[in-house]
Amino acid sequence: MLLFTLNIFFTLTSPASLTDFSTDQDALLAFKQAITVDTNGVLSNNWLPNNSICHWTGVSCGIKHHRVTALNLSNFSLHGKLTPHLGNLTFLQSLDVSSINFTGVLLAELSNLRRLKQVNATSNNFTGEIPRGILTNMSLLEDIDLRFNNLSGELPSDICNNTPKLKRLYLRDNQIYGKIPTSMYKCIEMEDLSLSMETYQLKLGI
């Protein structure tokens, strides 16, 4: 029985599971397929299965495990939508899809990325509500920039409950409404907060 238990433990913690980046490659290729316009051919000419993903334009990998740690596609002249497969990039720490003309919604699957520290999706055409998990259950998240989109809805009442490291939150120029939740005080490291909008609908919760 003890031997069986040890075999399971070593299987689950095997270095091979950390260095096997086929999951990351599949996630990025699925993301690529959802791109409808690639004006400069950045993805179509560079994101190829026979090349290491760590050499793909806009992709950065960790030195130790060669898993994707950053995805920076800012100003790449792309059109399309985010795909749920991005939630499989479990080593991702930084996501920058700013100024790309993306549409659709921000995906709830992003809250699966427990190592995520920075999210920049400013200057797109994202709609719908901000996934609740991003604002309430990302323990390492430090920066969120979602300015200049068409996001709507209210801020979750339990914002900052499990995002203690959040330092910068930018949501201005969206369609966010309602009150600023009193739980915001739990973001004890907050340095910069931008919630102003032309409609000035946000007010301090009591």
Side-chain angles (χ1 to χ4, degrees), residues 88-100:
N88 294 330
L89 299 175
T90 54
F91 279 68
L92 196 67
Q93 298 177 25
S94 177
L95 175 65
D96 191 340
V97 290
S98 59
S99 304
I100 304 184

Side-chain angles (χ1 to χ4, degrees), residues 16 18-26 52-54 65-68:
L18 296 175
T19 57
D20 180 10
F21 49 79
S22 60
T23 299
D24 290 359
Q25 177 174 289
D26 291 343
S52 168
I53 58 174
C54 298
H65 300 307
H66 304 289
R67 301 292 299 273
V68 176

Side-chain angles (χ1 to χ4, degrees), residues 23 63 72 88 99 129 135 141 145 150 205:
T23 299
I63 297 176
N72 186 350
N88 294 330
S99 304
E129 296 186 359
L135 296 175
L141 196 61
D145 192 345
N150 292 300

Side-chain angles (χ1 to χ4, degrees), residues 75-110:
N75 294 294
F76 270 25
S77 299
L78 303 174
H79 291 245
K81 298 180 179 181
L82 299 181
T83 63
H85 303 84
L86 289 179
N88 294 330
L89 299 175
T90 54
F91 279 68
L92 196 67
Q93 298 177 25
S94 177
L95 175 65
D96 191 340
V97 290
S98 59
S99 304
I100 304 184
N101 295 315
F102 271 10
T103 59
V105 300
L106 292 174
L107 302 170
E109 286 78 6
L110 293 179

